[in-house]
Amino acid sequence: MSEQDVSPRPAGAADRAPIHVLVADDEPHIGRIIKMKLEQGPFRVSLAYDGREALDVLEREPDVALVMLDLMMPQMSGLDVLARLRADERFRDLPAIILTAAGQEQQHRKAMELGASEFMTKPFSPKKLYARTAELAGVADDDAAGAGGVA
């Protein structure tokens, strides 16, 4: 087994470093809700409040394992950030969840064309968001169970 073959994580995975998630949303209360939910499990969350700040965090913190991007943010939209990520070799395969209050089909199609891993419309279920985040991050069900039984 190579060093990269760590999935599924054993039950003792809580001893490992938390999985770093970047949440970019210009509504601070949304970011705080997501942060509180994810940090019930094996996640560490960094918050950004616009697209440029999200890119700055990614440059500063190379251990980000997944990004959540609000579609409509100041400076740069979530789609703009996603396009930049996919154009950069370092972030090409980084899982990305797009969150939006505007669930328009055209935006959904564009996000998927750019390589989004998931597209969720607000209001979203924190439990479903957690479950999808855990799945994309490769968290085993036993690890996810620590966050209120989400499996």
Side-chain angles (χ1 to χ4, degrees):
M1 176 149 81
S2 76
E3 287 180 51
Q4 292 179 338
D5 291 336
V6 293
S7 243
R9 293 160 42 134
D15 299 338
R16 296 189 183 167
I19 297 164
H20 192 177
V21 175
L22 169 61
V23 176
D25 196 308
D26 61 327
E27 298 178 58
H29 67 283
I30 299 284
R32 284 193 302 269
I33 289 168
I34 295 169
K35 181 179 172 76
M36 284 185 344
K37 184 63 180 172
L38 293 181
E39 288 183 347
Q40 291 174 1
F43 299 102
R44 175 172 74 90
V45 177
S46 292
L47 297 175
Y49 300 102
D50 65 54
R52 285 197 205 286
E53 188 179 357
L55 291 173
D56 290 345
V57 171
L58 285 163
E59 286 297 326
R60 265 194 332 265
E61 304 193 34
D63 67 331
V64 172
L66 183 141
V67 294
M68 288 185 198
L69 303 168
D70 183 26
L71 195 63
M72 295 181 285
M73 293 186 288
Q75 307 295 325
M76 295 176 75
S77 74
L79 291 180
D80 292 337
V81 174
L82 183 59
R84 286 271 192 89
L85 295 179
R86 296 307 180 236
D88 187 322
E89 187 65 40
R90 297 170 297 166
F91 307 119
R92 187 162 290 149
D93 298 322
L94 186 67
I97 297 174
I98 299 293
L99 303 172
T100 182
Q104 297 174 345
E105 186 56 36
Q106 180 181 358
Q107 292 169 321
H108 180 240
R109 195 169 34 251
K110 180 71 172 165
M112 298 318 272
E113 285 170 7
L114 286 171
S117 309
E118 184 65 67
F119 188 92
M120 297 182 90
T121 305
K122 297 175 188 176
F124 52 83
S125 156
K127 187 173 181 176
K128 285 183 181 171
L129 181 65
Y130 181 96
R132 187 65 176 124
T133 301
E135 182 182 338
L136 288 169
V139 175
D141 286 347
D142 341 348
D143 292 340
V150 178

